Amino acid sequence: MVDVTEKEMDNPTFKSDTVLSDVHLHCPNKRHLMVRLNAVGQPVFLSYFKILWNTEDSPSEKHVREATTEREHPYGSGVELSDQERHKLKKERELNCEGVEALLDDDGDLEVVRRPRSASDSEAEDLLRDRVYPVILMKGKDDAFEDTEQDCACSDVVKIEHTMATPLEDVGKQVWRAAFLLADYILFKRDMFRCCSVLELGGGTGITSIIMGTVAKRVYCTDVGEDLLAMCEQNVALNKHLMERGRGEVKVKELDWLKDEFCTDPEAPYSWSEEEIADLHDHCTVIMAADVFYDDDLTDALFRMLYRITHNLRNSCTVYLALEKRLNFTLRHMDVTCEAYSHFRNTLNDLESLQDGKMKYTVEPIKLDFCQFLVYERIEQL
């Protein structure tokens, strides 16, 4: 029996201390194996995410389509048949035209034409699942990363260390769908971002900054928390080869939205130098953020930070915001709502209507009809 006071009944709250990203629910669990424990004892995993450059006909989709075609048309036009097979096929077709006798053999037993076993349903499912490439490593093995280099082509695989389930305050250590959505847009519009100077707010594991780093000149990937920033820096190092071709670089920096100033303490591991702050203000033309709108106070803090930064930029700037509209049933409204998204939209409207002699903000939606280069579930709530 639970004793609930009258005051508690006015504002009941259900709490969970674990949050799990939906990205990993789209992948088979058996492929997510632990690499190590981080500084706070959380299991860390390493996943390979394949970039599908030819999005119209990815290898896995092609194999599945061929397997399906073979099941439906076992004697397709692309297969050369022997004389015996042609005779058998002709006989089957003739018998099929005559009626039920076509299903009986010479002794009167039922004869069933079976499909080829080379492409079963289970194999087709495996082909679909093979589109994401997490890696298996032994804990404590120093050369594990070197051993896996040969398994993946350098040009089309992003390697990301991440956690699987965390408390709410550590959700930046997971990979979220909106980060993939923003990465898709960057790859689709890569000529537009070429040679840009970019700032990411709430970069988390760094996957979006890494993708941006393949085309942009310089990316400042920012977040807060030394453990998270160390994970992000490790991911940048794992994917350095992707950025070398375009001579881009990703710098991991601390940026706390609850503070008014950049961290310039030389003793802090991810602090800013005066030269880096000046470079950001002089050259940044793109700011981006993915899946950072889940708490109203943090949303307010982010928009205040966004205003302060854009107010000091020398050039006009485009801000790209990606998020997932998460629906929840609340007892307060007795309905399915999305309060975090609603607060985000209200704050965005306030920014657009801001009366400032120096600054003007214009908000435009982006249609999500661009190509999908990474494997995830692009749901309508994105």
Side-chain angles (χ1 to χ4, degrees):
M1 177 177 172
V2 178
D3 183 19
V4 181
T5 65
E6 183 177 352
K7 183 177 181 181
E8 290 172 333
M9 286 296 292
D10 291 338
N11 189 24
T13 303
F14 295 91
K15 296 182 178 179
S16 173
D17 61 354
T18 303
V19 181
L20 174 65
S21 168
D22 292 334
V23 168
H24 304 297
L25 300 180
H26 188 58
C27 313
N29 291 334
K30 65 182 180 180
R31 292 191 174 271
H32 295 288
L33 298 181
M34 188 178 75
V35 179
R36 59 183 175 83
L37 295 177
N38 62 17
V40 294
Q42 295 168 337
V44 176
F45 301 79
L46 178 68
S47 292
Y48 282 3
F49 297 101
K50 188 175 180 63
I51 301 175
L52 307 177
W53 291 110
N54 186 0
T55 57
E56 295 181 358
D57 192 19
S58 65
S60 298
E61 291 172 344
K62 181 179 180 181
H63 287 135
V64 172
R65 183 165 60 254
E66 289 175 350
T68 305
T69 303
E70 188 174 358
R71 290 200 302 270
E72 295 176 351
H73 309 286
Y75 302 103
S77 59
V79 180
E80 185 174 350
L81 304 177
S82 64
D83 292 340
Q84 185 178 359
E85 288 171 331
R86 289 195 188 94
H87 178 72
K88 182 179 179 181
L89 177 60
K90 181 179 179 181
K91 183 178 180 180
E92 287 174 356
R93 288 173 177 168
E94 290 173 350
L95 290 173
N96 283 332
C97 294
E98 296 176 4
V100 292
E101 288 78 13
L103 300 178
L104 303 180
D105 61 13
D106 296 337
D107 299 327
D109 298 323
L110 183 66
E111 185 175 59
V112 179
V113 178
R114 301 187 180 277
R115 68 186 182 191
R117 298 181 59 85
S118 59
S120 65
D121 289 335
S122 60
E123 287 171 335
E125 290 177 4
D126 288 339
L127 286 170
L128 279 171
R129 291 183 172 186
D130 280 342
R131 288 182 292 179
V132 176
Y133 298 84
V135 82
I136 301 173
L137 297 178
M138 297 298 293
K139 182 180 176 183
K141 188 175 181 182
D142 295 334
D143 60 345
F145 294 121
E146 297 178 5
D147 292 344
T148 59
E149 292 276 346
Q150 301 175 355
D151 298 333
C152 299
C154 291
S155 61
D156 62 358
V157 172
V158 181
K159 292 172 280 189
I160 296 294
E161 284 196 2
H162 59 89
T163 57
M164 290 285 284
T166 65
L168 184 62
E169 61 268 19
D170 279 341
V171 291
K173 297 176 182 177
Q174 300 188 51
V175 183
W176 299 91
R177 273 190 289 235
F180 285 111
L181 181 71
L182 188 50
D184 276 343
Y185 186 74
I186 294 166
L187 292 171
F188 183 67
K189 294 283 191 178
R190 49 189 176 271
D191 289 339
M192 183 173 67
F193 296 111
R194 203 171 301 280
C195 299
C196 288
S197 183
V198 182
L199 169 68
E200 181 174 13
L201 301 174
T205 61
I207 185 169
T208 310
S209 283
I210 291 167
I211 295 295
M212 180 63 86
T214 64
V215 292
K217 178 181 179 181
R218 182 174 295 112
V219 182
Y220 291 100
C221 181
T222 69
D223 215 308
V224 65
E226 188 172 334
D227 195 50
L228 172 59
L229 292 171
M231 175 184 286
C232 182
E233 188 174 51
Q234 169 72 354
N235 287 331
V236 171
L238 286 173
N239 296 279
K240 191 175 181 180
H241 58 283
L242 296 175
M243 295 166 271
E244 287 177 345
R245 289 173 300 163
R247 297 184 179 179
E249 66 172 337
V250 176
K251 292 190 172 187
V252 179
K253 297 294 176 181
E254 178 183 335
L255 188 58
D256 191 340
W257 307 338
L258 300 177
K259 297 180 180 178
D260 294 335
E261 303 293 338
F262 290 88
C263 175
T264 56
D265 181 2
E267 300 297 325
Y270 299 99
S271 63
W272 297 72
S273 68
E274 295 296 338
E275 291 77 14
E276 289 168 336
I277 297 174
D279 175 67
L280 177 71
H281 288 157
D282 290 344
H283 300 106
C284 180
T285 57
V286 174
I287 298 177
M288 60 183 185
D291 241 331
V292 295
F293 305 101
Y294 56 89
D295 178 90
D296 291 355
D297 292 336
L298 289 178
T299 296
D300 292 339
L302 182 140
F303 275 98
R304 287 194 297 268
M305 175 64 71
L306 193 61
Y307 174 78
R308 287 196 298 270
I309 292 175
T310 54
H311 195 78
N312 290 314
L313 295 181
R314 181 185 296 272
N315 304 299
S316 60
C317 179
T318 305
V319 183
Y320 296 91
L321 305 176
L323 70 157
E324 180 177 339
K325 183 179 180 181
R326 293 181 174 85
L327 303 174
N328 298 288
F329 180 84
T330 62
L331 293 177
R332 183 169 64 176
H333 296 94
M334 293 302 292
D335 197 3
V336 176
T337 63
C338 187
E339 293 182 312
Y341 176 77
S342 299
H343 184 77
F344 159 75
R345 289 304 306 238
N346 292 335
T347 311
L348 190 63
N349 292 337
D350 292 341
L351 186 68
E352 187 177 23
S353 60
L354 181 68
Q355 298 295 327
D356 189 316
K358 292 181 58 179
M359 303 291 297
K360 179 177 175 56
Y361 298 89
T362 303
V363 177
E364 297 179 6
I366 296 175
K367 292 183 179 180
L368 305 187
D369 56 357
F370 48 87
C371 297
Q372 184 167 341
F373 292 87
L374 293 160
V375 179
Y376 63 100
E377 189 180 8
R378 191 184 283 187
I379 60 176
E380 63 181 18
Q381 287 78 23
L382 282 173

